[in-house]
Amino acid sequence: MKNGKEIISNCIFSQIDLHREYSGVVPEIASRAHLEVINDLIDRALAEAQITFGDLDYVAATQKPGLIGSLLIALQSAKAIAYTLRIPLIAINHLEAHLYAPFLEGREFFFPFIGLLVSGGNTALYHVKGIGELTPLGKTVDDAVGEAFDKVSKFLNLGYPGGPVIERLAQKAREKANIFPKILSDTGEDDYRFSYSGLKTAVINYIKKHPDADQAEIVYSFQERALELLVRRVLTAARKLKIRDIVVAGGVASNGRLRSLLQESTRDDENIIIPSPLLCTDNAAMVAGIAYHYYISGKESELTIDVSARV
Ligand code: KG4
């Protein structure tokens, strides 16, 4: 990253093919694959950017949250680079990095905004007030929304990851009925909880009971209910807190139906900001990008910092 804005290389080693046969991420396989590719990936990133180690001003890596084995490999590698080159190490909260992704595409970074993070491991809503200042408003009480897409897809044998397959299949639904009930109807309170385990179970039970039902219509109704809760929560937060800018990031943010539901439901003075699909899913540019702001404000990490599975 250059100046926290310009991506000069963004190399991704996708592990999707390694985990496909298990229909989900296997932690041991993930960390071993990280270890196998990390040195080559670092070399490739430098080569594509046409720079060498000596050109680096700081090095950043995700410190939390995530799978401990995978986090360790990246953070230890970053520590080794920082120590050897005597440059600052910036340890980053992965969720904060996701919310920075839309600011890698020519948009000026600003505060405050409402941040919705929707991925395979997290569904969380934040009031983002500054660098490192994320006030949690609510999160899922059970499954993450992406996890529900993956599990429904697994049950229907549609493939992995489930999100993109379900999105495509839902577009083919002829009958657009609400088969499944609305999740967590509004109580009138500031309720920012999310929940996806009940919807997932309702879908699975429905399929067991109606084995010949049209799959496209089932996943259509599942997707509508899953996304409707996200839209409702994010708009409630924005309106209660009187914040007009809303950032939505993470793998599920690449869902086109979510993008149109958000656009349809917002008022003219509300602004929905979503990164392009490549930057919605996990990438290193967003980590280096948010880290730049820590770097220029002198907030570097100690080399003794440890990884953490949770935020
Ligand atoms: O952020 P991400 O790449 O990885 C982490 O979970 O950290 O998100 C992956 C998740 C998976 O659960 C995947 O099914 C979901 O994002 N996803 C989608 C779509 N594309 C990816 N969910 C719904 N619609 C999509 N188009």
Side-chain angles (χ1 to χ4, degrees), residues 98 119-121 146-147 149-150 161-164 167 250-252 254-255 280-282:
H98 265 296
S119 68
E147 190 181 349
F149 273 86
D150 294 336
E167 183 182 0
V252 182
S254 54
N255 185 292
C280 280
T281 47
D282 286 345

Side-chain angles (χ1 to χ4, degrees), residues 13 15 18 28-42 73 77:
F13 172 77
Q15 294 194 8
L18 298 177
E28 183 66 21
I29 294 177
S31 53
R32 281 173 192 270
H34 273 71
L35 190 57
E36 278 164 22
V37 303
I38 192 144
N39 286 335
D40 286 345
L41 209 57
I42 292 170
I73 293 170
S77 305

Side-chain angles (χ1 to χ4, degrees), residues 60-164:
T62 292
Q63 179 245 334
K64 64 179 180 184
L67 297 174
I68 226 72
S70 301
L71 292 177
L72 265 175
I73 293 170
L75 190 66
Q76 290 301 113
S77 305
K79 281 182 186 179
I81 294 170
Y83 179 75
T84 314
L85 299 176
R86 301 186 189 286
I87 56 174
L89 168 75
I90 317 280
I92 290 296
N93 171 349
H94 183 75
L95 310 184
E96 186 177 16
H98 265 296
L99 295 174
Y100 187 77
F103 302 102
L104 298 171
E105 300 178 295
R107 213 176 259 113
E108 282 305 314
F109 195 29
F110 65 85
F111 302 109
F113 60 84
I114 297 292
L116 174 68
L117 183 79
V118 278
S119 68
N122 298 280
T123 304
L125 194 61
Y126 297 96
H127 178 186
V128 184
K129 299 173 193 163
I131 309 284
E133 286 179 60
L134 284 80
T135 306
L137 297 172
K139 60 178 181 169
T140 181
V141 296
D142 41 55
D143 291 354
V145 58
E147 190 181 349
F149 273 86
D150 294 336
K151 286 182 178 164
V152 165
S153 176
K154 181 178 180 183
F155 194 78
L156 285 168
N157 281 321
L158 296 175
Y160 172 81

Side-chain angles (χ1 to χ4, degrees), residues 242-260:
K242 299 193 171 30
I243 294 176
R244 290 191 304 240
D245 295 292
I246 297 166
V247 172
V248 184
V252 182
S254 54
N255 185 292
R257 181 68 181 146
L258 174 61
R259 288 167 185 249
S260 45

